[in-house]
């Protein structure tokens, strides 16, 4: 069993009201792969420059993540992103995006990456997502993430990708923007009509919902005392969610399995934001994840079987 992810491998500079860190290892594929590596063998498809060192590589390889399909461009520079968080730590401004080696990236997949049963198309140019989707004919579960930038400038390609995948994972604003609908529920229904059978709406620090034709499930984010750096929370969530589904290959996927996948995604994402960059998730252990999932179950359960005499 294995899982392939295509997306950004990056250097991130992040500023929060409390602290600032420069050129940390980041990128959507990096955060996703670290989270998914709890559940399956992960192959990362991406591109870096020669500023990407053995130390950066070892963050991934130390968790048995296969980096054979991370192309290295001699003389090139790795994708760079810089962002600043607002006081509420939920919204941010992008200060800088330097595509660098990403600009001419054409993924060439090894047999191992092509043969994966599960495929995740992390946030990247939709035309590249489409190319990878076409190379991974054996995948029995495919999921896609995107962002406002591609909805604005490459919507047609993005819709082609959406028509071909099983699951779409976007944040609430992006889902509404993509469909032109004013609520998550109506936007998700519109997306279900476009192809995918599963829609996940991430709502930042408020949690996430999963919507299918069978029904829906909503989970708050794990309540933390402090958040150090929310960058990559969405990708860690997706890594836990898709990773859990990869490890539970019974198809079709039931809402029961999706509820648990949501809990694992939320648990890993909550660890991700406790420290900057990949610091926390790279030393996270399986028992810590399981314990947090149990806590999430405990704090979201209630008993509705006792009768109350309502007065009207
Ligand atoms: P998230 O906080 O889950 O939205 O993910 C943030 C990650 O996405 C950071 O590590 C960035 O390196 C990466 N990222 C930011 N902008 C882009 C972009 N235009 N394309 C691909 N990856 C990006």
């Amino acid at each position: 069993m294995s899982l392939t992810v295509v997306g950004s491998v990056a250097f991130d500079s992040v500023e929060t009201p409390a602290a600032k860190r420069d050129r940390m290892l980041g990128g959507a594929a990096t955060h996703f792969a670290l989270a998914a590596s709890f559940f399956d063998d992960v192959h990362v498809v991406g591109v870096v420059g020669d500023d990407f060192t053995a130390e950066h590589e070892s963050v991934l390889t130390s968790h048995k993540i296969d980096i054979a399909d991370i192309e290295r461009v001699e003389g090139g520079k790795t994708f760079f992103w810089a962002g600043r968080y607002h006081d509420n730590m939920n919204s941010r401004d992008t200060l800088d995006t330097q595509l660098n080696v990403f600009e001419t990236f054409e993924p060439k997949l090894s047999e191992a990456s092509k043969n994966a049963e599960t495929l995740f198309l992390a946030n990247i140019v939709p035309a590249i997502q489409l190319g990878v989707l076409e190379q991974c004919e054996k995948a029995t579960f495919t999921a896609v993430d995107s962002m406002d930038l591609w909805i604005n400038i490459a919507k047609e390609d993005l819709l082609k990708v959406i028509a071909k995948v099983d699951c779409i994972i976007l944040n609430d604003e992006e889902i509404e923007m993509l469909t032109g609908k004013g609520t998550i529920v109506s936007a998700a229904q519109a997306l279900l009509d476009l192809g995918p059978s599963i829609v996940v709406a991430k709502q930042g620090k408020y949690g996430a919902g999963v919507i299918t034709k069978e029904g829906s499930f909503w989970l708050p984010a794990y309540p933390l005392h402090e958040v150090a750096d929310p960058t990559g929370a969405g990708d860690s969530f997706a890594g836990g969610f898709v990773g859990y589904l990869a490890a539970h290959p019974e198809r079709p996927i039931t809402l029961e399995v999706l509820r648990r996948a949501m809990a694992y995604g939320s648990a890993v994402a909550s660890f991700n934001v406790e420290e900057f960059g990949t610091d926390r998730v790279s030393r996270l252990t399986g028992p810590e994840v399981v314990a947090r999932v149990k806590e999430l179950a405990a704090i979201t359960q209630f008993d509705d079987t006792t009768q109350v005499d309502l007065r009207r």
Side-chain angles (χ1 to χ4, degrees):
M1 297 279 296
S2 73
L3 191 169
T4 293
V5 52
V6 59
S8 56
V9 177
F11 290 132
D12 290 344
S13 289
V14 172
E15 227 179 292
T16 70
K20 187 172 185 291
R21 289 270 293 270
D22 280 326
R23 294 185 66 79
M24 300 173 287
L25 173 61
T30 304
H31 287 290
F32 176 94
L34 283 172
S37 66
F38 281 100
F39 303 93
D40 205 353
D41 292 338
V42 180
H43 311 284
V44 180
V45 179
V47 63
V48 294
D50 51 18
D51 48 358
F52 198 80
T53 65
E55 206 183 315
H56 298 121
E57 282 182 8
S58 74
V59 174
L60 297 168
T61 54
S62 62
H63 296 292
K64 301 199 172 64
I65 294 165
D66 172 27
I67 61 165
D69 281 350
I70 300 185
E71 186 187 333
R72 184 183 289 270
V73 178
E74 293 305 325
K77 280 171 74 184
T78 300
F79 175 81
F80 173 76
W81 176 81
R84 182 191 293 135
Y85 286 88
H86 301 168
D87 287 342
N88 67 8
M89 291 293 269
N90 208 39
S91 50
R92 70 184 178 207
D93 296 322
T94 290
L95 302 178
D96 198 1
T97 301
Q98 295 171 20
L99 292 176
N100 299 328
V101 291
F102 230 26
E103 222 156 344
T104 51
F105 178 44
E106 286 176 28
K108 295 159 217 75
L109 274 62
S110 62
E111 284 307 306
S113 295
K114 278 186 198 169
N115 289 336
E117 291 84 3
T118 307
L119 172 66
F120 183 66
L121 306 163
N123 172 29
I124 197 172
V125 188
I128 293 182
Q129 294 178 322
L130 214 48
V132 172
L133 196 55
E134 278 159 10
Q135 292 183 62
C136 292
E137 285 176 339
K138 295 193 183 140
T140 55
F141 180 74
T142 54
V144 64
D145 184 12
S146 194
M147 69 186 292
D148 51 357
L149 175 67
W150 311 124
I151 298 171
N152 283 327
I153 69 169
K155 190 168 168 180
E156 223 170 281
D157 281 348
L158 181 58
L159 289 173
K160 283 187 199 158
V161 177
I162 292 171
K164 292 185 174 183
V165 294
D166 300 298
C167 173
I168 177 162
I169 304 176
L170 286 181
N171 73 34
D172 48 358
E173 282 164 14
E174 291 160 353
I175 288 189
E176 290 164 10
M177 184 178 164
L178 181 60
T179 59
K181 305 280 183 189
T183 66
I184 298 180
V185 177
S186 59
Q189 291 302 334
L191 283 178
L192 288 175
D193 291 336
L194 296 181
S197 55
I198 301 166
V199 175
V200 176
K202 298 176 286 182
Q203 298 165 79
K205 68 175 178 182
Y206 303 107
V210 61
I211 302 101
T212 71
K213 291 220 157 108
E214 198 191 335
S216 67
F217 175 68
W218 305 83
L219 193 65
Y222 178 80
L224 291 166
H225 283 281
E226 266 175 63
V227 170
D229 171 18
T231 311
D235 306 307
S236 304
F237 170 88
F241 178 82
V242 174
Y244 183 89
L245 296 178
H248 295 82
E250 307 78 25
R251 303 287 179 261
I253 299 169
T254 62
L255 195 53
E256 214 39 55
V257 172
L258 289 172
R259 286 175 209 265
R260 285 194 288 273
M262 289 279 287
Y264 276 88
S266 302
V268 182
S270 72
F271 283 109
N272 180 76
V273 304
E274 286 181 354
E275 293 180 23
F276 273 85
T278 56
D279 288 358
R280 184 65 182 99
V281 179
S282 31
R283 54 164 218 284
L284 184 62
T285 66
E288 287 177 305
V289 176
V290 171
R292 191 154 286 183
V293 167
K294 282 198 187 314
E295 276 186 76
L296 266 172
I299 63 171
T300 54
Q301 251 155 27
F302 67 94
D303 177 7
D304 68 344
T305 57
T306 55
Q307 291 293 316
V308 180
D309 286 331
L310 297 177
R311 297 183 64 187
R312 53 181 291 269

